[in-house]
Coordinates of all heavy atoms in Angstrom, one line a residue:
M1 N -40.3 -8.9 -13.5 CA -41.0 -8.6 -12.2 C -40.0 -8.0 -11.3 O -38.8 -8.5 -11.1 CB -41.5 -9.9 -11.7 CG -42.0 -9.8 -10.2 SD -42.7 -11.4 -9.8 CE -42.5 -11.3 -7.9
E2 N -40.4 -7.0 -10.6 CA -39.4 -6.3 -9.6 C -39.7 -6.8 -8.2 O -40.9 -6.7 -7.7 CB -39.7 -4.8 -9.7 CG -38.6 -4.0 -9.0 CD -37.2 -4.1 -9.6 OE1 -37.1 -4.3 -10.9 OE2 -36.3 -4.1 -8.8
L3 N -38.7 -7.5 -7.6 CA -38.9 -8.0 -6.2 C -38.7 -6.9 -5.3 O -37.8 -6.1 -5.4 CB -38.0 -9.1 -6.0 CG -38.1 -10.4 -6.8 CD1 -37.1 -11.4 -6.2 CD2 -39.5 -11.0 -6.7
N4 N -39.4 -7.0 -4.1 CA -38.9 -6.2 -2.9 C -38.2 -7.1 -2.0 O -38.1 -8.2 -2.1 CB -40.2 -5.4 -2.4 CG -41.2 -6.3 -1.7 OD1 -40.8 -7.3 -1.2 ND2 -42.4 -5.9 -1.7
C5 N -37.7 -6.4 -0.9 CA -36.9 -7.1 0.1 C -37.7 -8.3 0.6 O -37.1 -9.4 0.8 CB -36.4 -6.2 1.1 SG -35.2 -5.0 0.5
K6 N -38.9 -8.1 1.0 CA -39.7 -9.2 1.7 C -39.9 -10.4 0.8 O -39.8 -11.5 1.2 CB -41.0 -8.7 2.1 CG -40.9 -7.8 3.3 CD -42.2 -7.3 3.9 CE -41.9 -6.4 5.1 NZ -43.0 -5.7 5.6
H7 N -40.0 -10.2 -0.6 CA -40.0 -11.3 -1.4 C -38.7 -12.1 -1.4 O -38.7 -13.3 -1.4 CB -40.2 -10.8 -2.9 CG -41.6 -10.3 -3.2 ND1 -41.9 -9.1 -3.9 CD2 -42.8 -10.8 -2.9 CE1 -43.2 -9.0 -4.0 NE2 -43.7 -9.9 -3.4
V8 N -37.6 -11.3 -1.4 CA -36.4 -12.0 -1.4 C -36.2 -12.8 -0.1 O -35.8 -14.0 -0.1 CB -35.2 -11.0 -1.5 CG1 -33.8 -11.7 -1.3 CG2 -35.3 -10.3 -2.8
W9 N -36.5 -12.3 1.1 CA -36.4 -13.0 2.4 C -37.3 -14.2 2.3 O -36.9 -15.3 2.8 CB -36.9 -12.1 3.5 CG -36.1 -10.8 3.6 CD1 -34.9 -10.5 3.0 CD2 -36.5 -9.6 4.3 NE1 -34.5 -9.2 3.3 CE2 -35.5 -8.7 4.1 CE3 -37.6 -9.3 5.2 CZ2 -35.6 -7.4 4.7 CZ3 -37.7 -8.1 5.8 CH2 -36.7 -7.1 5.5
A10 N -38.4 -14.1 1.7 CA -39.3 -15.3 1.7 C -38.7 -16.4 0.9 O -39.0 -17.6 1.2 CB -40.6 -14.9 1.1
H11 N -37.8 -16.2 0.0 CA -37.3 -17.1 -0.9 C -35.8 -17.5 -0.6 O -35.2 -18.3 -1.3 CB -37.5 -16.8 -2.3 CG -38.9 -16.7 -2.7 ND1 -39.7 -17.9 -2.8 CD2 -39.7 -15.6 -3.1 CE1 -40.9 -17.4 -3.2 NE2 -40.9 -16.1 -3.4
I12 N -35.3 -16.8 0.4 CA -33.8 -16.8 0.5 C -33.2 -18.2 0.8 O -32.2 -18.6 0.1 CB -33.3 -15.8 1.5 CG1 -31.8 -15.4 1.2 CG2 -33.4 -16.2 2.9 CD1 -31.5 -14.0 1.3
S13 N -34.0 -19.0 1.6 CA -33.3 -20.3 1.9 C -33.6 -21.2 0.6 O -32.7 -22.1 0.5 CB -34.0 -21.0 3.2 OG -35.3 -20.9 3.1
D14 N -34.6 -21.1 -0.1 CA -34.8 -21.8 -1.3 C -33.7 -21.4 -2.4 O -33.2 -22.3 -3.1 CB -36.2 -21.6 -1.9 CG -37.2 -22.3 -1.2 OD1 -36.9 -23.3 -0.3 OD2 -38.4 -21.9 -1.3
Y15 N -33.4 -20.2 -2.4 CA -32.5 -19.6 -3.3 C -31.1 -20.3 -3.0 O -30.4 -20.7 -3.8 CB -32.3 -18.0 -3.1 CG -31.2 -17.5 -3.9 CD1 -31.3 -17.2 -5.3 CD2 -30.0 -17.2 -3.2 CE1 -30.3 -16.6 -6.0 CE2 -29.0 -16.6 -3.9 CZ -29.1 -16.2 -5.4 OH -28.1 -15.7 -6.0
I16 N -30.7 -20.3 -1.7 CA -29.5 -20.9 -1.3 C -29.5 -22.4 -1.6 O -28.5 -23.0 -2.1 CB -29.2 -20.7 0.2 CG1 -28.9 -19.2 0.4 CG2 -28.0 -21.5 0.7 CD1 -28.9 -18.8 1.9
D17 N -30.6 -23.0 -1.4 CA -30.7 -24.5 -1.7 C -30.8 -24.8 -3.2 O -30.9 -25.9 -3.7 CB -32.0 -25.1 -1.1 CG -31.9 -25.2 0.4 OD1 -30.7 -25.1 0.9 OD2 -32.9 -25.4 1.0
D18 N -30.8 -23.7 -4.0 CA -31.0 -23.8 -5.5 C -32.2 -24.5 -5.9 O -32.3 -25.3 -6.8 CB -29.8 -24.6 -6.0 CG -29.5 -24.2 -7.4 OD1 -30.1 -23.2 -7.9 OD2 -28.7 -24.9 -8.0
S19 N -33.4 -24.1 -5.1 CA -34.6 -24.8 -5.5 C -35.6 -23.8 -5.8 O -36.8 -24.0 -5.7 CB -35.0 -25.7 -4.3 OG -35.2 -24.9 -3.2
V20 N -35.2 -22.7 -6.5 CA -36.2 -21.7 -6.9 C -36.1 -21.8 -8.5 O -35.2 -22.2 -9.1 CB -35.8 -20.3 -6.5 CG1 -36.1 -20.1 -5.0 CG2 -34.4 -19.8 -6.9
A21 N -37.2 -21.3 -9.0 CA -37.4 -21.3 -10.5 C -36.3 -20.4 -11.1 O -35.9 -19.4 -10.5 CB -38.8 -20.9 -10.9
P22 N -35.8 -20.7 -12.3 CA -34.8 -19.9 -12.8 C -35.2 -18.5 -13.0 O -34.3 -17.5 -12.9 CB -34.6 -20.5 -14.3 CG -35.1 -22.0 -14.1 CD -36.1 -21.9 -13.1
E23 N -36.4 -18.2 -13.3 CA -36.9 -16.8 -13.5 C -36.7 -16.1 -12.1 O -36.3 -14.9 -12.0 CB -38.3 -16.7 -14.0 CG -38.6 -17.4 -15.3 CD -38.7 -18.9 -15.2 OE1 -39.2 -19.4 -14.1 OE2 -38.3 -19.6 -16.1
L24 N -37.2 -16.7 -11.1 CA -37.2 -16.1 -9.8 C -35.7 -15.9 -9.3 O -35.4 -14.9 -8.8 CB -37.9 -17.0 -8.8 CG -38.0 -16.5 -7.3 CD1 -38.6 -15.1 -7.2 CD2 -38.8 -17.5 -6.4
R25 N -34.9 -16.9 -9.6 CA -33.5 -16.8 -9.3 C -32.9 -15.6 -9.9 O -32.2 -14.8 -9.3 CB -32.8 -18.1 -9.8 CG -31.3 -18.1 -9.4 CD -30.7 -19.5 -9.8 NE -29.5 -19.6 -9.1 CZ -29.3 -19.9 -7.9 NH1 -30.3 -20.3 -7.1 NH2 -28.2 -20.0 -7.2
A26 N -33.2 -15.4 -11.2 CA -32.6 -14.2 -11.9 C -33.2 -12.9 -11.2 O -32.5 -11.9 -11.1 CB -33.1 -14.2 -13.3
D27 N -34.5 -12.9 -10.8 CA -35.1 -11.7 -10.2 C -34.4 -11.4 -8.8 O -34.1 -10.3 -8.5 CB -36.6 -11.9 -9.9 CG -37.4 -11.8 -11.2 OD1 -36.9 -11.1 -12.2 OD2 -38.5 -12.3 -11.2
I28 N -34.1 -12.5 -8.1 CA -33.5 -12.3 -6.8 C -32.0 -11.8 -7.0 O -31.6 -10.9 -6.4 CB -33.4 -13.7 -6.0 CG1 -34.8 -14.1 -5.6 CG2 -32.5 -13.6 -4.8 CD1 -35.0 -15.4 -4.9
E29 N -31.3 -12.4 -8.0 CA -30.0 -11.9 -8.3 C -29.9 -10.4 -8.6 O -29.1 -9.7 -8.2 CB -29.3 -12.8 -9.3 CG -28.8 -14.0 -8.6 CD -28.3 -15.1 -9.6 OE1 -28.4 -14.9 -10.8 OE2 -27.9 -16.2 -9.1
R30 N -30.9 -10.1 -9.5 CA -31.0 -8.6 -9.9 C -31.2 -7.7 -8.6 O -30.6 -6.7 -8.5 CB -32.2 -8.4 -10.9 CG -31.7 -7.6 -12.0 CD -32.6 -7.5 -13.2 NE -34.0 -8.0 -13.0 CZ -34.4 -9.1 -13.6 NH1 -33.7 -9.8 -14.4 NH2 -35.7 -9.5 -13.5
H31 N -32.0 -8.2 -7.7 CA -32.3 -7.5 -6.5 C -31.1 -7.3 -5.7 O -30.7 -6.3 -5.2 CB -33.5 -8.1 -5.7 CG -33.8 -7.4 -4.5 ND1 -34.8 -6.4 -4.4 CD2 -33.3 -7.4 -3.2 CE1 -34.9 -5.9 -3.2 NE2 -34.0 -6.5 -2.4
L32 N -30.4 -8.5 -5.5 CA -29.2 -8.5 -4.7 C -28.1 -7.6 -5.2 O -27.3 -7.1 -4.4 CB -28.6 -10.0 -4.5 CG -29.6 -10.9 -3.8 CD1 -29.0 -12.4 -4.1 CD2 -29.5 -10.6 -2.3
E33 N -28.1 -7.3 -6.5 CA -27.0 -6.5 -7.0 C -27.1 -5.1 -6.5 O -26.1 -4.4 -6.4 CB -27.2 -6.5 -8.5 CG -26.5 -7.6 -9.2 CD -26.9 -7.6 -10.7 OE1 -27.2 -6.6 -11.2 OE2 -26.6 -8.7 -11.3
H34 N -28.3 -4.6 -6.1 CA -28.4 -3.2 -5.7 C -28.9 -3.1 -4.3 O -29.2 -2.0 -3.8 CB -29.3 -2.4 -6.7 CG -30.8 -2.9 -6.7 ND1 -31.6 -2.6 -5.7 CD2 -31.5 -3.6 -7.5 CE1 -32.9 -3.1 -6.0 NE2 -32.8 -3.8 -7.1
C35 N -29.2 -4.2 -3.6 CA -29.7 -4.1 -2.2 C -28.8 -4.6 -1.2 O -28.5 -5.9 -1.1 CB -31.0 -4.9 -2.1 SG -31.8 -4.7 -0.5
E36 N -28.1 -3.7 -0.4 CA -27.2 -4.1 0.6 C -27.7 -4.9 1.7 O -27.1 -5.9 2.2 CB -26.5 -2.9 1.1 CG -25.5 -2.3 0.2 CD -24.8 -1.0 0.8 OE1 -24.9 -0.9 2.0 OE2 -24.3 -0.2 0.0
I37 N -29.0 -4.7 2.1 CA -29.6 -5.4 3.1 C -29.7 -6.8 2.8 O -29.3 -7.7 3.5 CB -31.0 -4.8 3.5 CG1 -30.9 -3.3 3.9 CG2 -31.7 -5.6 4.6 CD1 -32.2 -2.7 4.1
C38 N -30.3 -7.1 1.6 CA -30.5 -8.5 1.2 C -29.2 -9.2 1.0 O -29.0 -10.4 1.3 CB -31.4 -8.6 0.0 SG -33.1 -8.1 0.4
S39 N -28.2 -8.5 0.5 CA -26.9 -9.1 0.3 C -26.3 -9.6 1.6 O -25.7 -10.6 1.7 CB -25.9 -8.2 -0.4 OG -26.4 -7.8 -1.6
A40 N -26.5 -8.7 2.6 CA -26.0 -9.0 4.0 C -26.7 -10.1 4.6 O -26.1 -11.0 5.2 CB -26.1 -7.7 4.9
I41 N -28.0 -10.2 4.3 CA -28.7 -11.3 4.8 C -28.4 -12.6 4.2 O -28.2 -13.7 4.9 CB -30.3 -11.1 4.6 CG1 -30.7 -9.9 5.5 CG2 -31.1 -12.3 4.9 CD1 -32.1 -9.4 5.1
L42 N -28.1 -12.6 2.8 CA -27.7 -13.7 2.1 C -26.4 -14.3 2.7 O -26.3 -15.5 2.9 CB -27.6 -13.4 0.6 CG -27.1 -14.6 -0.2 CD1 -28.2 -15.7 -0.2 CD2 -26.9 -14.1 -1.7
D43 N -25.5 -13.4 2.9 CA -24.2 -13.8 3.5 C -24.4 -14.4 4.8 O -23.7 -15.5 5.1 CB -23.3 -12.6 3.6 CG -22.7 -12.1 2.3 OD1 -22.8 -13.0 1.3 OD2 -22.1 -11.1 2.2
S44 N -25.1 -13.8 5.7 CA -25.2 -14.3 7.1 C -26.0 -15.7 7.1 O -25.7 -16.5 7.8 CB -25.8 -13.3 8.1 OG -27.0 -12.8 7.6
T45 N -27.0 -15.7 6.2 CA -27.8 -16.9 6.1 C -26.9 -18.1 5.7 O -27.0 -19.2 6.1 CB -29.0 -16.8 5.2 OG1 -29.7 -15.7 5.6 CG2 -29.9 -18.0 5.2
R46 N -26.1 -17.8 4.7 CA -25.2 -18.8 4.2 C -24.2 -19.2 5.3 O -23.9 -20.4 5.4 CB -24.3 -18.2 3.0 CG -25.0 -18.4 1.6 CD -23.9 -18.4 0.6 NE -24.5 -18.7 -0.7 CZ -24.6 -17.7 -1.7 NH1 -24.1 -16.6 -1.6 NH2 -25.2 -18.0 -2.8
N47 N -23.7 -18.3 6.0 CA -22.8 -18.6 7.2 C -23.4 -19.5 8.2 O -22.8 -20.5 8.6 CB -22.3 -17.4 7.8 CG -21.3 -16.5 7.0 OD1 -20.7 -17.1 6.0 ND2 -21.2 -15.3 7.3
I48 N -24.7 -19.3 8.4 CA -25.4 -20.1 9.4 C -25.5 -21.5 8.8 O -25.4 -22.5 9.5 CB -26.8 -19.5 9.6 CG1 -26.6 -18.2 10.5 CG2 -27.7 -20.5 10.4 CD1 -28.0 -17.3 10.4
L49 N -25.9 -21.6 7.6 CA -26.0 -22.9 6.9 C -24.7 -23.7 7.0 O -24.7 -24.9 7.2 CB -26.5 -22.8 5.5 CG -28.0 -22.3 5.4 CD1 -28.3 -22.1 3.9 CD2 -28.9 -23.2 6.1
V50 N -23.6 -23.0 6.7 CA -22.3 -23.6 6.8 C -22.0 -24.2 8.2 O -21.6 -25.3 8.4 CB -21.1 -22.7 6.3 CG1 -19.8 -23.3 6.7 CG2 -21.2 -22.4 4.8
L51 N -22.3 -23.4 9.2 CA -22.1 -23.8 10.6 C -23.0 -25.0 10.9 O -22.5 -25.9 11.5 CB -22.4 -22.6 11.5 CG -21.4 -21.4 11.5 CD1 -22.0 -20.3 12.3 CD2 -20.1 -21.9 12.1
T52 N -24.2 -25.0 10.5 CA -25.1 -26.1 10.8 C -24.7 -27.3 10.0 O -25.1 -28.4 10.5 CB -26.6 -25.8 10.5 OG1 -26.7 -25.3 9.2 CG2 -27.1 -24.7 11.5
A53 N -24.1 -27.2 8.9 CA -23.6 -28.3 8.2 C -22.4 -29.0 8.7 O -22.0 -30.1 8.4 CB -23.3 -28.0 6.7
D54 N -21.7 -28.3 9.5 CA -20.5 -28.7 10.2 C -20.8 -29.9 11.1 O -21.8 -29.9 11.7 CB -19.8 -27.6 11.0 CG -18.4 -28.0 11.3 OD1 -18.2 -28.9 12.0 OD2 -17.4 -27.2 10.8
D55 N -19.9 -30.9 11.2 CA -20.1 -32.1 12.1 C -20.2 -31.7 13.5 O -20.9 -32.3 14.3 CB -19.0 -33.1 11.9 CG -19.1 -33.8 10.6 OD1 -20.2 -33.8 10.0 OD2 -18.1 -34.5 10.2
R56 N -19.4 -30.6 13.9 CA -19.5 -30.1 15.3 C -20.8 -29.4 15.4 O -20.9 -28.3 14.8 CB -18.3 -29.3 15.6 CG -17.0 -30.0 15.7 CD -15.8 -29.0 15.6 NE -15.9 -28.3 14.3 CZ -15.1 -27.3 14.0 NH1 -14.3 -26.8 14.9 NH2 -15.2 -26.7 12.9
T57 N -21.8 -30.0 15.9 CA -23.1 -29.4 15.9 C -23.2 -28.0 16.5 O -22.6 -27.7 17.6 CB -24.1 -30.3 16.7 OG1 -23.9 -31.6 16.3 CG2 -25.5 -29.8 16.5
F58 N -23.7 -27.1 15.7 CA -23.8 -25.8 16.1 C -25.3 -25.5 16.3 O -26.0 -25.6 15.4 CB -23.3 -24.8 15.1 CG -23.4 -23.4 15.3 CD1 -22.4 -22.7 16.1 CD2 -24.5 -22.7 14.8 CE1 -22.6 -21.4 16.4 CE2 -24.6 -21.3 15.1 CZ -23.7 -20.7 15.9
E59 N -25.7 -25.2 17.6 CA -27.1 -25.0 17.8 C -27.5 -23.5 17.8 O -26.8 -22.7 18.4 CB -27.5 -25.5 19.2 CG -27.2 -27.0 19.4 CD -28.5 -27.8 19.4 OE1 -29.5 -27.2 19.7 OE2 -28.4 -29.0 19.2
L60 N -28.4 -23.1 16.9 CA -28.8 -21.8 16.8 C -29.7 -21.6 18.0 O -30.5 -22.5 18.4 CB -29.6 -21.6 15.5 CG -28.8 -21.3 14.3 CD1 -29.9 -21.1 13.2 CD2 -28.0 -20.0 14.4
P61 N -29.7 -20.4 18.5 CA -30.6 -20.1 19.6 C -32.0 -20.2 19.1 O -32.3 -19.9 18.0 CB -30.3 -18.6 19.9 CG -29.1 -18.2 19.2 CD -28.8 -19.3 18.2
V62 N -32.9 -20.7 20.0 CA -34.3 -20.9 19.6 C -34.8 -19.5 19.1 O -34.6 -18.5 19.8 CB -35.1 -21.4 20.7 CG1 -36.6 -21.4 20.4 CG2 -34.6 -22.8 21.1
G63 N -35.6 -19.5 18.0 CA -36.2 -18.2 17.6 C -35.1 -17.3 16.8 O -35.5 -16.2 16.6
F64 N -34.0 -17.8 16.6 CA -33.0 -16.9 15.9 C -33.5 -16.3 14.7 O -33.5 -15.1 14.5 CB -31.7 -17.7 15.7 CG -30.7 -16.9 14.9 CD1 -29.8 -16.0 15.6 CD2 -30.7 -16.9 13.5 CE1 -28.9 -15.3 14.8 CE2 -29.7 -16.2 12.8 CZ -28.8 -15.4 13.4
S65 N -34.1 -17.2 13.8 CA -34.6 -16.8 12.5 C -35.7 -15.8 12.6 O -35.8 -14.8 11.9 CB -34.8 -17.9 11.7 OG -35.7 -17.7 10.7
K66 N -36.6 -16.1 13.5 CA -37.8 -15.3 13.8 C -37.3 -13.9 14.3 O -37.8 -12.9 13.7 CB -38.6 -16.0 14.9 CG -39.9 -15.3 15.2 CD -40.8 -16.1 16.0 CE -42.2 -15.4 16.4 NZ -42.0 -14.4 17.4
R67 N -36.4 -13.9 15.2 CA -35.9 -12.6 15.6 C -35.2 -11.8 14.5 O -35.3 -10.6 14.5 CB -34.9 -12.7 16.8 CG -35.6 -13.1 18.1 CD -34.8 -12.8 19.3 NE -33.4 -13.4 19.3 CZ -33.2 -14.6 19.7 NH1 -34.1 -15.4 20.2 NH2 -32.0 -15.1 19.6
L68 N -34.4 -12.5 13.7 CA -33.8 -11.8 12.6 C -34.8 -11.2 11.7 O -34.7 -10.0 11.3 CB -33.0 -12.8 11.8 CG -32.4 -12.3 10.5 CD1 -31.3 -11.3 10.8 CD2 -31.7 -13.4 9.7
H69 N -35.9 -11.9 11.4 CA -36.9 -11.4 10.5 C -37.7 -10.2 11.1 O -38.0 -9.3 10.4 CB -37.8 -12.5 10.0 CG -37.2 -13.3 9.0 ND1 -36.5 -14.5 9.2 CD2 -37.1 -13.2 7.6 CE1 -36.1 -15.1 8.1 NE2 -36.4 -14.3 7.2
E70 N -37.9 -10.3 12.4 CA -38.5 -9.2 13.1 C -37.7 -8.0 13.1 O -38.2 -6.9 12.9 CB -38.9 -9.6 14.6 CG -40.0 -10.5 14.6 CD -40.2 -11.2 16.1 OE1 -39.3 -10.9 16.9 OE2 -41.2 -11.9 16.2
R71 N -36.4 -8.2 13.3 CA -35.6 -7.0 13.2 C -35.5 -6.4 11.9 O -35.5 -5.2 11.7 CB -34.2 -7.5 13.7 CG -33.0 -6.5 13.4 CD -32.0 -6.5 14.5 NE -31.1 -5.3 14.2 CZ -29.9 -5.6 13.7 NH1 -29.4 -6.8 13.5 NH2 -29.1 -4.5 13.4
L72 N -35.4 -7.2 10.8 CA -35.4 -6.7 9.5 C -36.7 -5.9 9.2 O -36.6 -4.8 8.6 CB -35.3 -7.8 8.5 CG -33.9 -8.6 8.5 CD1 -34.1 -9.8 7.7 CD2 -32.8 -7.6 8.0
A73 N -37.8 -6.5 9.6 CA -39.1 -5.8 9.4 C -39.1 -4.5 10.0 O -39.6 -3.6 9.5 CB -40.2 -6.7 9.8
R74 N -38.6 -4.4 11.2 CA -38.6 -3.2 12.0 C -37.7 -2.2 11.4 O -38.0 -1.0 11.3 CB -38.1 -3.5 13.4 CG -38.4 -2.5 14.4 CD -38.3 -2.9 15.8 NE -37.0 -3.4 16.2 CZ -36.7 -4.6 16.6 NH1 -37.7 -5.5 16.8 NH2 -35.5 -5.0 16.8
E75 N -36.5 -2.6 10.9 CA -35.6 -1.7 10.3 C -36.2 -1.1 8.9 O -36.1 0.1 8.6 CB -34.3 -2.3 10.1 CG -33.5 -2.5 11.4 CD -32.1 -2.9 11.2 OE1 -31.6 -3.0 10.1 OE2 -31.5 -3.0 12.3
L76 N -36.9 -2.0 8.3 CA -37.5 -1.5 7.0 C -38.6 -0.5 7.4 O -38.7 0.5 6.6 CB -38.2 -2.7 6.3 CG -37.3 -3.4 5.3 CD1 -38.2 -4.3 4.5 CD2 -36.5 -2.6 4.4
A77 N -39.4 -0.7 8.4 CA -40.5 0.1 8.8 C -39.9 1.5 9.2 O -40.4 2.5 8.8 CB -41.3 -0.5 9.9
E78 N -38.8 1.4 10.0 CA -38.1 2.7 10.4 C -37.6 3.4 9.2 O -37.7 4.6 9.1 CB -37.0 2.4 11.3 CG -37.5 2.1 12.7 CD -36.3 1.5 13.6 OE1 -35.2 1.5 13.2 OE2 -36.7 1.1 14.8
E79 N -37.1 2.7 8.2 CA -36.5 3.3 7.0 C -37.6 4.1 6.3 O -37.5 5.2 5.8 CB -35.9 2.3 6.1 CG -35.0 2.9 5.1 CD -34.3 1.7 4.4 OE1 -33.3 1.1 5.1 OE2 -34.6 1.4 3.2
A80 N -38.9 3.4 6.2 CA -40.0 4.0 5.6 C -40.5 5.3 6.2 O -41.0 6.2 5.6 CB -41.1 3.0 5.5
N81 N -40.3 5.3 7.6 CA -40.7 6.5 8.4 C -39.5 7.3 8.8 O -39.6 8.0 9.9 CB -41.5 6.0 9.6 CG -42.7 5.2 9.2 OD1 -43.4 5.6 8.4 ND2 -42.9 4.1 10.0
A82 N -38.5 7.3 8.0 CA -37.2 8.0 8.5 C -37.5 9.5 8.8 O -38.2 10.1 8.0 CB -36.3 7.9 7.3
P83 N -37.1 9.9 9.9 CA -37.3 11.3 10.3 C -36.6 12.2 9.3 O -35.5 11.9 8.8 CB -36.8 11.4 11.7 CG -35.8 10.2 11.9 CD -36.4 9.2 10.9
T84 N -37.0 13.4 9.1 CA -36.4 14.3 8.1 C -35.4 15.1 8.8 O -34.5 15.7 8.2 CB -37.4 15.2 7.4 OG1 -38.2 15.8 8.5 CG2 -38.4 14.5 6.5
V85 N -35.4 15.2 10.2 CA -34.3 15.9 10.9 C -33.6 14.8 11.8 O -34.1 13.7 12.0 CB -34.9 17.0 11.8 CG1 -35.2 18.2 11.0 CG2 -36.0 16.5 12.6
N86 N -32.5 15.2 12.2 CA -31.5 14.4 13.0 C -30.8 13.4 12.3 O -29.9 13.5 11.5 CB -32.2 13.8 14.3 CG -32.3 12.3 14.1 OD1 -31.4 11.6 13.6 ND2 -33.4 11.8 14.6
Ligands
ZN1 ZN1 -33.5 -6.1 -0.6

C-alpha cells in the first residue's frame, strides 16, 4: 500500500509511540525515505515530545498542533496548484 502524506500525518504520533501495526510502520518508513516534508514533521514532532517529556514543563501554545496541520494542508494545496511561471 502506498501512503500519502496525510496518511502519515494521521498516524505520526502512533508511529512515534510505536503503537502502529508492523505493516503500517513499514509503509510509513518507506514513505519517510523519500518524503522530506514528512521527515521534517517527524523530527519536529519528536522534538516536541522530548520537550514535553522533560520535567521542566514545556507548554505548547494552544492550538499548536492544529495550526501545524493547517499549515501543512495549505502547503500541500499550494504545491498541487503550483504556478507554472515565477
Ligand atoms: Zn509525505
Side-chain angles (χ1 to χ4, degrees):
M1 173 179 153
E2 193 64 37
L3 292 187
N4 66 30
C5 293
K6 286 185 180 170
H7 287 134
V8 173
W9 304 343
H11 296 292
I12 202 137
S13 49
D14 287 339
Y15 173 82
I16 291 170
D17 287 345
D18 206 10
S19 60
V20 290
E23 301 79 29
L24 179 58
R25 182 172 196 83
D27 285 337
I28 291 174
E29 280 170 359
R30 226 171 11 250
H31 180 95
L32 289 169
E33 279 173 17
H34 66 78
C35 182
E36 287 180 17
I37 297 174
C38 290
S39 301
I41 292 168
L42 179 64
D43 282 348
S44 54
T45 306
R46 274 205 175 113
N47 289 341
I48 290 165
L49 292 178
V50 167
L51 287 169
T52 54
D54 196 297
D55 282 345
R56 294 164 296 171
T57 311
F58 177 86
E59 301 253 340
L60 278 180
V62 175
F64 175 86
S65 156
K66 183 166 178 285
R67 285 202 305 274
L68 174 65
H69 283 95
E70 283 169 356
R71 168 140 184 258
L72 291 169
R74 198 163 57 238
E75 290 191 358
L76 273 193
E78 280 170 10
E79 199 170 286
N81 299 315
T84 51
V85 284
N86 107 36

